[in-house]
Amino acid sequence: MIKRMTGLFLVCMILCSCGHTSAEEDPVAFTVNGEAIGLREWNFYVRMNQMQWEKDGLDLYGDDMWTSVEEDGSTMADQLKEDVLDTICRIHLVNQHSEEYGVALDEVKRQEIQKRAESFMEAYHEALLEYAGADTEFVCERLSERELSLLTAQACVEDFVPELPEEEVHREGICYVLISTTGLRDEEGNLTPFSEEERERRALVAESVCREAQESGDLKGAAEAEGLTPIESSMGRSNEGDGQEPRMLDAARLLDTGEVSEPIWTEEGWFLVQHTSDYDEEGTAYWREHLADLAKEDEYERIYEEWKASADITVNQEVLDQVDVKIVLKELL
């Protein structure tokens, strides 16, 4: 349960940077089962996430990205703070169960984290670090907490063995090639579109490779002869979670083993696919491991939600509100 408390901790000035505060100067922002999380930690996570959100979204949303109101009445600043609160609560709540699973950071891991903290301090602008109230020792503490939570999350599902029906993990072999019609990208990722003439030429290439592959029964060889790069892969019974072009996969499932499809048009260009085998051993092993990992993630979330439901989380709203989220980082840096 989450209880809102106001007015319990007042400070004489609004914090733009927590700086290097002592424990006495660091008011409690919220507690998780009695464990106090200070304003300095809250400010640090908010600022570092604010930087990342602005990096990803400022060009799209503009300078009012934090204050624009959504249909539900919330702002992006509200969403940022909610995400950060959830993240910090998760780290501390999970770590409160670390001893149950015999999880601790050994000396090797601590030395590794120390180096990561030093690299962190070197990677960010001094003004941002000051704004976030970060120093090497503080960052090392946060990284240590984060690492312990990850190890605990792994440990709590280490012995969990999911039941995976064979039909869900079974994969069949395919080979496909894409004849792109979009254009070429330079080293910086800038796209130079193909001319209409080039797109028409590539459509003819797709037809030519298709006919050669259908006659020879070898899409890989036909594609390589044209200077193309064929991909040997696998497919399951559905496209869910596959990550490959769905139209290509749909076409492949309609083929008998050994058959080559007609050219398949997509926004990327022309795909050709061959159904190479009715069982792909490597692909099946990979998919079994992939689905097992997903099932373990789901099991961890189930366990965590149980911990969270029984946790006593107390929020000091007036302290949280001292960290304002505005478009300031680009000006600061």
Side-chain angles (χ1 to χ4, degrees), residues 179-184 191-194 199 202 267-269:
I179 299 93
S180 173
T181 57
T182 57
L184 297 176
L191 179 68
T192 300
F194 288 131
R199 287 195 292 271
R202 286 174 170 266
E267 292 182 357
E268 295 182 72

Side-chain angles (χ1 to χ4, degrees), residues 313-329:
I313 301 173
T314 303
V315 175
N316 302 314
Q317 192 62 49
E318 287 192 8
V319 177
L320 295 184
D321 288 344
Q322 292 175 47
V323 179
D324 291 329
V325 178
K326 301 176 180 178
I327 302 297
V328 293
L329 297 188

Side-chain angles (χ1 to χ4, degrees), residues 260-299:
V260 177
S261 72
E262 293 294 318
I264 306 155
W265 170 250
T266 72
E267 292 182 357
E268 295 182 72
W270 296 99
F271 275 89
L272 298 171
V273 61
Q274 182 173 22
H275 185 181
T276 56
S277 71
D278 59 8
Y279 178 69
D280 185 278
E281 182 176 0
E282 183 177 346
T284 298
Y286 168 82
W287 200 249
R288 188 187 307 277
E289 182 178 357
H290 172 66
L291 293 182
D293 288 342
L294 292 179
K296 284 191 173 186
E297 291 177 8
D298 290 341
E299 176 64 8

